[in-house]
Amino acid sequence: MKHYKTVIVGGGIVGAGIFRDLALHGVETILIDKYDFSSQTSERSSKMLHGGIRYLENLDFALVFEALHEKNLWLKLTPHLAREVSFYLPVYKESKRPLWMIRIGLFLYDLLSNFKNSPHSVSSTKKVLAELPNLKSEGLKGAGIYYDAIMDDAKITLEVIYDALKEKCASALNHTAVLNVTKQNDKNRLTLKNQLDGDEYEITADVVIYALGPFTDHFLKNIPMYNWQDVLLPSKGSHIWISIKDLPLKYPIVMTPKSEAGQTSDRVIFVIPHGDQVLVGTTEVECSDDYFNITPDQVEIDYLLNSLNDYFPKLKLNQSHILASFAGIRPLVKDNESSDRGKTSREHKVFRPASNTYVIAGGKYTTFRVMGQEITREIAHHFGVAYNENLTISPLRQKSVISPFEWKIPTAIELKKICETEMPKSFEDLLKRRLSISGRAIWINRAAPIDFNNFFIEHLELLNKYFKVTKDEIERF
Ligand SMILES: Cc1cc2nc3c(=O)[nH]c(=O)nc-3n(C[C@H](O)[C@H](O)[C@H](O)COP(=O)(O)OP(=O)(O)OC[C@H]3O[C@@H](n4cnc5c(N)ncnc54)[C@H](O)[C@@H]3O)c2cc1C
């Protein structure tokens, strides 16, 4: 049975960040995910690296400060995956927050970034409408303009993992579920299942770290020795993709719609152009079902469409304009005081349900690098390694073949390189996270047909060297 010093269960951004930190410190580590890396919450976010302008109202200054610092750091480290953009926050006569309040909030936001953000401004109605002609003009008082980043969430997670894998002490398994964990003497004994061929086997590890995001309670409740009590207040968030042709927009907009049925709090909706598409989200609703591979409900989609039509009445957007949609669960950790998901802090927490066992939950994508540091510091110390919290402030060493901001169809040589170096284990891994084709494919098909099926069928022999895929499966996608 193979033994590892550390095993990380969960290959979303949080697990990936801890994996890289341990690997860079030379601590032997293996990362395991039940499905593909970054195929759950960490590819279903609003795709922003941001301080969280909204959290200023909750007085979460420390979180905003840390997140702004991380945002500005990753803008430097991964310029091919994250891009600074200006966000417009339109203010109307009936808006809850008047322009003067927005002005103070945006000043505070820049101050908390140590003025590393590009500076905010406030724009007149005339100027806003010149930049955003489709925006509702009635009652418009002007807009606050501030800077945050848009990013490719799945790709950042993958590149963090590829970087860790450059170290000899690191290995990673996707499509491998951890089924059970027991203690054997001082060691943790884990039962694993290869989800693709059904093989079950065991490994042991000195230390186990769970970075299971919203799946934390579900998983740990089933491991008797942890005697686990639920710690999460799960909150579902959904997004839709719309073609930029149907929703022409030069800059991201922050909408502040009124709550509707199903919403658990007043929240903002971001409308963000990403190349040829616009991302619209998110909702914030309760959820109680299975959290894997979830999809938006109609009531959430209606809420997003209604809000869009309120802000962009000329465009008359409806269901037929939606190219694709997705949903994820925020792994919020319960505050004692509040069950309001909007007000629950985005801070993370670390739990120790057994010796040499760490559970990390909560937090935000943006702060992943620093979230796991209290764990990695302790583990480095445990194995007699000097901890350097700045080791992870270094550029990632393996770029994805297909970059999200310069998206293109790969050549046969590029396809082979992706299969060899980026660990896709299924056609879906390749399509969604390595080639970034999901909503995009539908749009391309609608606007200017490109025959993706033929492209993949032509390369069927090549693909089958790396994972099983049939012509039928390709046609079904
Ligand atoms: C709608 C929405 C919008 C958001 N927008 C933003 C944003 O714009 N910016 C931002 O900073 N943050 C945002 N967030 C928060 C951010 O996306 C999450 O905090 C982050 O992605 C959580 O990452 P994670 O690694 O903890 O969880 P996950 O990415 O879910 O990773 C957990 C992994 O554990 C694996 N797993 C589960 N069970 C097992 C098992 N038995 N064996 C092995 N593996 C297992 C899963 O397959 C999964 O890959 C958003 C969240 C949501 C839901």
Side-chain angles (χ1 to χ4, degrees), residues 15-24 29 31 157-172 396-398:
I18 294 173
F19 181 55
R20 177 171 184 249
D21 201 0
L22 289 177
L24 291 177
T29 181
L31 178 72
T157 306
L158 287 172
E159 290 195 17
V160 167
I161 295 173
Y162 304 152
D163 189 71
L165 289 171
K166 299 275 172 217
E167 306 298 328
K168 278 205 188 82
C169 60
S171 52
L396 304 177
R397 288 165 288 179
Q398 183 182 319

PDB file of all heavy atoms in Angstrom, residues 15-24 29 31 157-172 396-398:
ATOM      1  N   GLY A  15      -8.061  23.392  -2.404  1.00  0.00           N
ATOM      2  CA  GLY A  15      -7.155  22.246  -2.350  1.00  0.00           C
ATOM      3  C   GLY A  15      -5.932  22.482  -3.228  1.00  0.00           C
ATOM      4  O   GLY A  15      -4.793  22.161  -2.844  1.00  0.00           O
ATOM      5  N   ALA A  16      -6.151  23.067  -4.400  1.00  0.00           N
ATOM      6  CA  ALA A  16      -5.034  23.323  -5.327  1.00  0.00           C
ATOM      7  C   ALA A  16      -4.018  24.265  -4.699  1.00  0.00           C
ATOM      8  O   ALA A  16      -2.801  24.063  -4.817  1.00  0.00           O
ATOM      9  CB  ALA A  16      -5.572  23.910  -6.634  1.00  0.00           C
ATOM     10  N   GLY A  17      -4.499  25.307  -4.009  1.00  0.00           N
ATOM     11  CA  GLY A  17      -3.603  26.277  -3.378  1.00  0.00           C
ATOM     12  C   GLY A  17      -2.755  25.628  -2.287  1.00  0.00           C
ATOM     13  O   GLY A  17      -1.549  25.879  -2.194  1.00  0.00           O
ATOM     14  N   ILE A  18      -3.376  24.770  -1.494  1.00  0.00           N
ATOM     15  CA  ILE A  18      -2.643  24.086  -0.414  1.00  0.00           C
ATOM     16  C   ILE A  18      -1.632  23.109  -1.028  1.00  0.00           C
ATOM     17  O   ILE A  18      -0.489  22.992  -0.576  1.00  0.00           O
ATOM     18  CB  ILE A  18      -3.644  23.353   0.518  1.00  0.00           C
ATOM     19  CG1 ILE A  18      -4.510  24.396   1.249  1.00  0.00           C
ATOM     20  CG2 ILE A  18      -2.929  22.440   1.507  1.00  0.00           C
ATOM     21  CD1 ILE A  18      -5.640  23.826   2.061  1.00  0.00           C
ATOM     22  N   PHE A  19      -2.060  22.437  -2.065  1.00  0.00           N
ATOM     23  CA  PHE A  19      -1.205  21.482  -2.790  1.00  0.00           C
ATOM     24  C   PHE A  19       0.064  22.175  -3.284  1.00  0.00           C
ATOM     25  O   PHE A  19       1.191  21.708  -3.080  1.00  0.00           O
ATOM     26  CB  PHE A  19      -2.041  20.953  -3.962  1.00  0.00           C
ATOM     27  CG  PHE A  19      -1.372  19.936  -4.838  1.00  0.00           C
ATOM     28  CD1 PHE A  19      -0.838  18.769  -4.313  1.00  0.00           C
ATOM     29  CD2 PHE A  19      -1.332  20.122  -6.222  1.00  0.00           C
ATOM     30  CE1 PHE A  19      -0.254  17.812  -5.136  1.00  0.00           C
ATOM     31  CE2 PHE A  19      -0.763  19.180  -7.054  1.00  0.00           C
ATOM     32  CZ  PHE A  19      -0.211  18.017  -6.516  1.00  0.00           C
ATOM     33  N   ARG A  20      -0.103  23.334  -3.899  1.00  0.00           N
ATOM     34  CA  ARG A  20       1.064  24.049  -4.451  1.00  0.00           C
ATOM     35  C   ARG A  20       1.988  24.521  -3.331  1.00  0.00           C
ATOM     36  O   ARG A  20       3.215  24.415  -3.447  1.00  0.00           O
ATOM     37  CB  ARG A  20       0.581  25.228  -5.291  1.00  0.00           C
ATOM     38  CG  ARG A  20       1.716  26.076  -5.840  1.00  0.00           C
ATOM     39  CD  ARG A  20       1.226  27.093  -6.846  1.00  0.00           C
ATOM     40  NE  ARG A  20       2.332  27.828  -7.422  1.00  0.00           N
ATOM     41  CZ  ARG A  20       2.587  29.117  -7.195  1.00  0.00           C
ATOM     42  NH1 ARG A  20       1.788  29.826  -6.420  1.00  0.00           N
ATOM     43  NH2 ARG A  20       3.617  29.709  -7.763  1.00  0.00           N
ATOM     44  N   ASP A  21       1.391  25.020  -2.255  1.00  0.00           N
ATOM     45  CA  ASP A  21       2.201  25.535  -1.151  1.00  0.00           C
ATOM     46  C   ASP A  21       3.048  24.398  -0.561  1.00  0.00           C
ATOM     47  O   ASP A  21       4.260  24.551  -0.355  1.00  0.00           O
ATOM     48  CB  ASP A  21       1.267  26.126  -0.082  1.00  0.00           C
ATOM     49  CG  ASP A  21       1.972  27.116   0.832  1.00  0.00           C
ATOM     50  OD1 ASP A  21       3.184  27.339   0.641  1.00  0.00           O
ATOM     51  OD2 ASP A  21       1.330  27.646   1.754  1.00  0.00           O
ATOM     52  N   LEU A  22       2.428  23.230  -0.330  1.00  0.00           N
ATOM     53  CA  LEU A  22       3.184  22.096   0.231  1.00  0.00           C
ATOM     54  C   LEU A  22       4.261  21.638  -0.751  1.00  0.00           C
ATOM     55  O   LEU A  22       5.405  21.370  -0.374  1.00  0.00           O
ATOM     56  CB  LEU A  22       2.240  20.933   0.564  1.00  0.00           C
ATOM     57  CG  LEU A  22       1.314  21.147   1.775  1.00  0.00           C
ATOM     58  CD1 LEU A  22       0.381  19.962   1.947  1.00  0.00           C
ATOM     59  CD2 LEU A  22       2.130  21.369   3.052  1.00  0.00           C
ATOM     60  N   ALA A  23       3.882  21.555  -2.032  1.00  0.00           N
ATOM     61  CA  ALA A  23       4.838  21.083  -3.043  1.00  0.00           C
ATOM     62  C   ALA A  23       6.048  22.014  -3.119  1.00  0.00           C
ATOM     63  O   ALA A  23       7.200  21.554  -3.163  1.00  0.00           O
ATOM     64  CB  ALA A  23       4.152  20.991  -4.402  1.00  0.00           C
ATOM     65  N   LEU A  24       5.793  23.330  -3.096  1.00  0.00           N
ATOM     66  CA  LEU A  24       6.906  24.280  -3.182  1.00  0.00           C
ATOM     67  C   LEU A  24       7.808  24.190  -1.947  1.00  0.00           C
ATOM     68  O   LEU A  24       8.978  24.554  -2.002  1.00  0.00           O
ATOM     69  CB  LEU A  24       6.387  25.711  -3.354  1.00  0.00           C
ATOM     70  CG  LEU A  24       5.712  26.020  -4.704  1.00  0.00           C
ATOM     71  CD1 LEU A  24       5.172  27.454  -4.722  1.00  0.00           C
ATOM     72  CD2 LEU A  24       6.667  25.824  -5.879  1.00  0.00           C
ATOM     73  N   THR A  29       3.180  15.248  -1.207  1.00  0.00           N
ATOM     74  CA  THR A  29       1.736  15.479  -1.156  1.00  0.00           C
ATOM     75  C   THR A  29       1.031  14.920  -2.389  1.00  0.00           C
ATOM     76  O   THR A  29       1.599  14.888  -3.484  1.00  0.00           O
ATOM     77  CB  THR A  29       1.463  17.009  -1.000  1.00  0.00           C
ATOM     78  OG1 THR A  29       0.060  17.210  -0.935  1.00  0.00           O
ATOM     79  CG2 THR A  29       2.023  17.837  -2.132  1.00  0.00           C
ATOM     80  N   LEU A  31      -2.873  15.150  -4.361  1.00  0.00           N
ATOM     81  CA  LEU A  31      -4.167  15.839  -4.446  1.00  0.00           C
ATOM     82  C   LEU A  31      -5.158  14.892  -5.114  1.00  0.00           C
ATOM     83  O   LEU A  31      -4.851  14.308  -6.161  1.00  0.00           O
ATOM     84  CB  LEU A  31      -4.003  17.107  -5.292  1.00  0.00           C
ATOM     85  CG  LEU A  31      -5.261  17.938  -5.537  1.00  0.00           C
ATOM     86  CD1 LEU A  31      -5.692  18.653  -4.259  1.00  0.00           C
ATOM     87  CD2 LEU A  31      -5.024  18.977  -6.633  1.00  0.00           C
ATOM     88  N   THR A 157      -7.215  27.395 -11.418  1.00  0.00           N
ATOM     89  CA  THR A 157      -7.064  26.213 -10.551  1.00  0.00           C
ATOM     90  C   THR A 157      -6.163  25.188 -11.231  1.00  0.00           C
ATOM     91  O   THR A 157      -5.241  24.634 -10.616  1.00  0.00           O
ATOM     92  CB  THR A 157      -8.450  25.578 -10.254  1.00  0.00           C
ATOM     93  OG1 THR A 157      -9.302  26.589  -9.734  1.00  0.00           O
ATOM     94  CG2 THR A 157      -8.337  24.437  -9.260  1.00  0.00           C
ATOM     95  N   LEU A 158      -6.416  24.925 -12.503  1.00  0.00           N
ATOM     96  CA  LEU A 158      -5.608  23.927 -13.213  1.00  0.00           C
ATOM     97  C   LEU A 158      -4.139  24.344 -13.258  1.00  0.00           C
ATOM     98  O   LEU A 158      -3.247  23.533 -13.006  1.00  0.00           O
ATOM     99  CB  LEU A 158      -6.141  23.719 -14.637  1.00  0.00           C
ATOM    100  CG  LEU A 158      -7.465  22.949 -14.736  1.00  0.00           C
ATOM    101  CD1 LEU A 158      -8.007  22.978 -16.161  1.00  0.00           C
ATOM    102  CD2 LEU A 158      -7.308  21.507 -14.263  1.00  0.00           C
ATOM    103  N   GLU A 159      -3.884  25.600 -13.541  1.00  0.00           N
ATOM    104  CA  GLU A 159      -2.475  26.031 -13.644  1.00  0.00           C
ATOM    105  C   GLU A 159      -1.768  26.020 -12.291  1.00  0.00           C
ATOM    106  O   GLU A 159      -0.559  25.795 -12.229  1.00  0.00           O
ATOM    107  CB  GLU A 159      -2.385  27.403 -14.323  1.00  0.00           C
ATOM    108  CG  GLU A 159      -2.735  27.292 -15.800  1.00  0.00           C
ATOM    109  CD  GLU A 159      -2.338  28.496 -16.628  1.00  0.00           C
ATOM    110  OE1 GLU A 159      -1.520  29.309 -16.185  1.00  0.00           O
ATOM    111  OE2 GLU A 159      -2.874  28.616 -17.748  1.00  0.00           O
ATOM    112  N   VAL A 160      -2.522  26.254 -11.212  1.00  0.00           N
ATOM    113  CA  VAL A 160      -1.929  26.146  -9.870  1.00  0.00           C
ATOM    114  C   VAL A 160      -1.515  24.672  -9.650  1.00  0.00           C
ATOM    115  O   VAL A 160      -0.430  24.383  -9.140  1.00  0.00           O
ATOM    116  CB  VAL A 160      -2.943  26.623  -8.795  1.00  0.00           C
ATOM    117  CG1 VAL A 160      -2.483  26.240  -7.395  1.00  0.00           C
ATOM    118  CG2 VAL A 160      -3.125  28.142  -8.883  1.00  0.00           C
ATOM    119  N   ILE A 161      -2.361  23.754 -10.099  1.00  0.00           N
ATOM    120  CA  ILE A 161      -2.048  22.317  -9.949  1.00  0.00           C
ATOM    121  C   ILE A 161      -0.859  21.935 -10.840  1.00  0.00           C
ATOM    122  O   ILE A 161       0.079  21.264 -10.392  1.00  0.00           O
ATOM    123  CB  ILE A 161      -3.299  21.458 -10.269  1.00  0.00           C
ATOM    124  CG1 ILE A 161      -4.391  21.729  -9.232  1.00  0.00           C
ATOM    125  CG2 ILE A 161      -2.952  19.960 -10.331  1.00  0.00           C
ATOM    126  CD1 ILE A 161      -5.728  21.094  -9.516  1.00  0.00           C
ATOM    127  N   TYR A 162      -0.868  22.389 -12.098  1.00  0.00           N
ATOM    128  CA  TYR A 162       0.258  22.051 -12.994  1.00  0.00           C
ATOM    129  C   TYR A 162       1.568  22.556 -12.388  1.00  0.00           C
ATOM    130  O   TYR A 162       2.609  21.918 -12.499  1.00  0.00           O
ATOM    131  CB  TYR A 162       0.116  22.686 -14.379  1.00  0.00           C
ATOM    132  CG  TYR A 162      -1.152  22.376 -15.147  1.00  0.00           C
ATOM    133  CD1 TYR A 162      -1.659  23.289 -16.084  1.00  0.00           C
ATOM    134  CD2 TYR A 162      -1.848  21.186 -14.951  1.00  0.00           C
ATOM    135  CE1 TYR A 162      -2.815  23.023 -16.802  1.00  0.00           C
ATOM    136  CE2 TYR A 162      -3.009  20.932 -15.659  1.00  0.00           C
ATOM    137  CZ  TYR A 162      -3.493  21.856 -16.576  1.00  0.00           C
ATOM    138  OH  TYR A 162      -4.634  21.600 -17.274  1.00  0.00           O
ATOM    139  N   ASP A 163       1.506  23.735 -11.769  1.00  0.00           N
ATOM    140  CA  ASP A 163       2.732  24.306 -11.195  1.00  0.00           C
ATOM    141  C   ASP A 163       3.243  23.418 -10.063  1.00  0.00           C
ATOM    142  O   ASP A 163       4.447  23.130  -9.991  1.00  0.00           O
ATOM    143  CB  ASP A 163       2.458  25.725 -10.673  1.00  0.00           C
ATOM    144  CG  ASP A 163       3.750  26.418 -10.287  1.00  0.00           C
ATOM    145  OD1 ASP A 163       4.517  26.760 -11.198  1.00  0.00           O
ATOM    146  OD2 ASP A 163       4.018  26.565  -9.086  1.00  0.00           O
ATOM    147  N   ALA A 164       2.335  22.975  -9.198  1.00  0.00           N
ATOM    148  CA  ALA A 164       2.750  22.098  -8.082  1.00  0.00           C
ATOM    149  C   ALA A 164       3.367  20.815  -8.632  1.00  0.00           C
ATOM    150  O   ALA A 164       4.342  20.289  -8.083  1.00  0.00           O
ATOM    151  CB  ALA A 164       1.543  21.768  -7.215  1.00  0.00           C
ATOM    152  N   LEU A 165       2.803  20.325  -9.741  1.00  0.00           N
ATOM    153  CA  LEU A 165       3.275  19.045 -10.299  1.00  0.00           C
ATOM    154  C   LEU A 165       4.684  19.145 -10.887  1.00  0.00           C
ATOM    155  O   LEU A 165       5.281  18.126 -11.244  1.00  0.00           O
ATOM    156  CB  LEU A 165       2.278  18.534 -11.349  1.00  0.00           C
ATOM    157  CG  LEU A 165       0.946  18.031 -10.750  1.00  0.00           C
ATOM    158  CD1 LEU A 165      -0.065  17.752 -11.842  1.00  0.00           C
ATOM    159  CD2 LEU A 165       1.156  16.788  -9.887  1.00  0.00           C
ATOM    160  N   LYS A 166       5.208  20.347 -10.989  1.00  0.00           N
ATOM    161  CA  LYS A 166       6.609  20.495 -11.427  1.00  0.00           C
ATOM    162  C   LYS A 166       7.559  19.994 -10.338  1.00  0.00           C
ATOM    163  O   LYS A 166       8.743  19.801 -10.588  1.00  0.00           O
ATOM    164  CB  LYS A 166       6.943  21.968 -11.704  1.00  0.00           C
ATOM    165  CG  LYS A 166       6.117  22.597 -12.805  1.00  0.00           C
ATOM    166  CD  LYS A 166       6.720  22.312 -14.149  1.00  0.00           C
ATOM    167  CE  LYS A 166       5.825  22.766 -15.273  1.00  0.00           C
ATOM    168  NZ  LYS A 166       5.809  21.913 -16.425  1.00  0.00           N
ATOM    169  N   GLU A 167       7.062  19.880  -9.103  1.00  0.00           N
ATOM    170  CA  GLU A 167       7.900  19.405  -7.993  1.00  0.00           C
ATOM    171  C   GLU A 167       7.787  17.882  -7.909  1.00  0.00           C
ATOM    172  O   GLU A 167       6.681  17.343  -7.995  1.00  0.00           O
ATOM    173  CB  GLU A 167       7.435  20.034  -6.667  1.00  0.00           C
ATOM    174  CG  GLU A 167       7.371  21.550  -6.680  1.00  0.00           C
ATOM    175  CD  GLU A 167       8.725  22.203  -6.922  1.00  0.00           C
ATOM    176  OE1 GLU A 167       9.740  21.632  -6.508  1.00  0.00           O
ATOM    177  OE2 GLU A 167       8.749  23.287  -7.548  1.00  0.00           O
ATOM    178  N   LYS A 168       8.918  17.230  -7.665  1.00  0.00           N
ATOM    179  CA  LYS A 168       8.953  15.754  -7.634  1.00  0.00           C
ATOM    180  C   LYS A 168       8.092  15.181  -6.512  1.00  0.00           C
ATOM    181  O   LYS A 168       7.600  14.063  -6.601  1.00  0.00           O
ATOM    182  CB  LYS A 168      10.393  15.281  -7.422  1.00  0.00           C
ATOM    183  CG  LYS A 168      11.206  15.257  -8.679  1.00  0.00           C
ATOM    184  CD  LYS A 168      12.356  14.223  -8.534  1.00  0.00           C
ATOM    185  CE  LYS A 168      13.313  14.303  -9.694  1.00  0.00           C
ATOM    186  NZ  LYS A 168      14.295  15.396  -9.514  1.00  0.00           N
ATOM    187  N   CYS A 169       7.898  15.954  -5.440  1.00  0.00           N
ATOM    188  CA  CYS A 169       7.185  15.438  -4.270  1.00  0.00           C
ATOM    189  C   CYS A 169       5.669  15.491  -4.451  1.00  0.00           C
ATOM    190  O   CYS A 169       4.932  15.113  -3.541  1.00  0.00           O
ATOM    191  CB  CYS A 169       7.581  16.245  -3.032  1.00  0.00           C
ATOM    192  SG  CYS A 169       7.175  17.996  -3.208  1.00  0.00           S
ATOM    193  N   ALA A 170       5.193  15.980  -5.619  1.00  0.00           N
ATOM    194  CA  ALA A 170       3.741  16.171  -5.778  1.00  0.00           C
ATOM    195  C   ALA A 170       3.158  15.243  -6.839  1.00  0.00           C
ATOM    196  O   ALA A 170       3.770  15.020  -7.886  1.00  0.00           O
ATOM    197  CB  ALA A 170       3.474  17.620  -6.170  1.00  0.00           C
ATOM    198  N   SER A 171       1.978  14.699  -6.542  1.00  0.00           N
ATOM    199  CA  SER A 171       1.241  13.935  -7.560  1.00  0.00           C
ATOM    200  C   SER A 171      -0.242  14.250  -7.402  1.00  0.00           C
ATOM    201  O   SER A 171      -0.668  14.755  -6.359  1.00  0.00           O
ATOM    202  CB  SER A 171       1.504  12.434  -7.416  1.00  0.00           C
ATOM    203  OG  SER A 171       1.267  12.031  -6.093  1.00  0.00           O
ATOM    204  N   ALA A 172      -1.020  13.953  -8.441  1.00  0.00           N
ATOM    205  CA  ALA A 172      -2.441  14.322  -8.385  1.00  0.00           C
ATOM    206  C   ALA A 172      -3.282  13.303  -9.139  1.00  0.00           C
ATOM    207  O   ALA A 172      -2.861  12.775 -10.166  1.00  0.00           O
ATOM    208  CB  ALA A 172      -2.619  15.712  -9.001  1.00  0.00           C
ATOM    209  N   LEU A 396       3.229  31.112 -12.157  1.00  0.00           N
ATOM    210  CA  LEU A 396       2.925  29.706 -12.427  1.00  0.00           C
ATOM    211  C   LEU A 396       3.754  29.290 -13.646  1.00  0.00           C
ATOM    212  O   LEU A 396       3.884  30.045 -14.606  1.00  0.00           O
ATOM    213  CB  LEU A 396       1.431  29.541 -12.680  1.00  0.00           C
ATOM    214  CG  LEU A 396       0.540  30.073 -11.544  1.00  0.00           C
ATOM    215  CD1 LEU A 396      -0.934  29.944 -11.893  1.00  0.00           C
ATOM    216  CD2 LEU A 396       0.831  29.366 -10.232  1.00  0.00           C
ATOM    217  N   ARG A 397       4.290  28.057 -13.578  1.00  0.00           N
ATOM    218  CA  ARG A 397       5.290  27.682 -14.583  1.00  0.00           C
ATOM    219  C   ARG A 397       4.752  26.963 -15.807  1.00  0.00           C
ATOM    220  O   ARG A 397       5.479  26.668 -16.729  1.00  0.00           O
ATOM    221  CB  ARG A 397       6.363  26.806 -13.911  1.00  0.00           C
ATOM    222  CG  ARG A 397       7.256  27.586 -12.979  1.00  0.00           C
ATOM    223  CD  ARG A 397       8.044  26.693 -12.069  1.00  0.00           C
ATOM    224  NE  ARG A 397       7.223  26.080 -11.040  1.00  0.00           N
ATOM    225  CZ  ARG A 397       7.666  25.237 -10.108  1.00  0.00           C
ATOM    226  NH1 ARG A 397       8.943  24.885 -10.095  1.00  0.00           N
ATOM    227  NH2 ARG A 397       6.852  24.734  -9.205  1.00  0.00           N
ATOM    228  N   GLN A 398       3.468  26.603 -15.799  1.00  0.00           N
ATOM    229  CA  GLN A 398       2.938  25.933 -17.012  1.00  0.00           C
ATOM    230  C   GLN A 398       1.641  26.589 -17.465  1.00  0.00           C
ATOM    231  O   GLN A 398       0.605  26.473 -16.803  1.00  0.00           O
ATOM    232  CB  GLN A 398       2.678  24.448 -16.727  1.00  0.00           C
ATOM    233  CG  GLN A 398       2.205  23.708 -17.983  1.00  0.00           C
ATOM    234  CD  GLN A 398       1.895  22.249 -17.728  1.00  0.00           C
ATOM    235  OE1 GLN A 398       2.617  21.566 -17.017  1.00  0.00           O
ATOM    236  NE2 GLN A 398       0.812  21.756 -18.332  1.00  0.00           N
TER     237      GLN A 398
END
